[in-house]
Amino acid sequence: MLTVDFTRFPLAAGDRVLDLGCGAGRHAFECYRRGAHVVALDQNAEEIREVAKWFAAMKEAGEAPAGATATAMEGDALQLPFPDESFDVVIISEVMEHIPDDKGVLAEMVRVLKPGGRIAVTVPRYGPEKVCWALSDAYHEVEGGHIRIYKAEELLGRMKEAGLKPYGTHHAHALHSPYWWLKCAFGVDNDKALPVRAYHKLLVWDIMKKPLATRVAEQALNPLIGKSFVAYATKPHLPKLPEAAVADAS
């Protein structure tokens, strides 16, 4: 289940991609399938081990084009172990709402992104997330949980302050909002409640079968109750200084 829409966020074979806070690796795997040189980074060692296993399995099964590479590694989003301008593409999906210093994370992403490079940021959408917080304290008052809810204009403003130029937004996963409302209403750790179990089966069926009816329904509902807000931006090229100014500076 991808949150980033690669029809709006073009990825070319050979692009160097950082999936920051990769989690289980869903976006990293898609980038690898598209022929990129992928680095999947997360602070969770267990998840990184699983992502590395899946990368190896994908390579063995021939799921990635020749020339594509994939690496999974532990790391700190606030101190990325890469030189400046290392990546053509950076993806950070459902991560920034967990991090106190979100401005610091944005600064690090901009640092390692090449001029002209592209970045995709996804966070829980304000409205559906507010419902979850209202229904359950346990949903967010946990170690490593969500510490803020972004309004769209707030996130875009922070991206601009970091030096990025947003070029598009959309919402995703409308069918998942009611599931999380049910989880919050019946208890976030209570998977035995009948409405929760029934809705979970629906979501699994939808992900596996991808029926037209639910695809159409989700497209129609995304603007209203989409669970995630997705923003795309580029890192502008710095203007070239006149030759006289360069000579004076040297």
Side-chain angles (χ1 to χ4, degrees), residues 34-127:
R34 290 171 178 260
H37 300 294
V38 183
V39 176
L41 184 143
D42 201 285
Q43 67 177 2
N44 187 311
E46 183 176 346
E47 287 194 312
I48 284 298
R49 285 193 292 270
E50 286 300 310
V51 171
K53 289 178 184 177
W54 278 106
F55 279 151
M58 290 173 67
K59 181 177 181 180
E60 185 174 346
E63 290 188 32
T69 61
T71 302
M73 61 185 295
E74 288 183 66
D76 183 350
L78 290 165
Q79 294 181 317
L80 295 175
F82 311 111
D84 295 354
E85 303 178 5
S86 298
F87 295 94
D88 303 291
V89 172
V90 176
I91 297 171
I92 184 166
S93 183
E94 312 300 304
V95 173
M96 287 181 56
E97 66 276 8
H98 296 272
I99 301 177
D101 187 8
D102 58 344
K103 291 184 179 181
V105 173
L106 277 168
E108 272 293 87
M109 289 190 288
V110 172
R111 180 184 68 78
V112 301
L113 186 64
K114 295 178 181 178
R118 303 171 304 286
I119 187 167
V121 180
T122 91
V123 296
R125 185 184 185 175
Y126 184 82

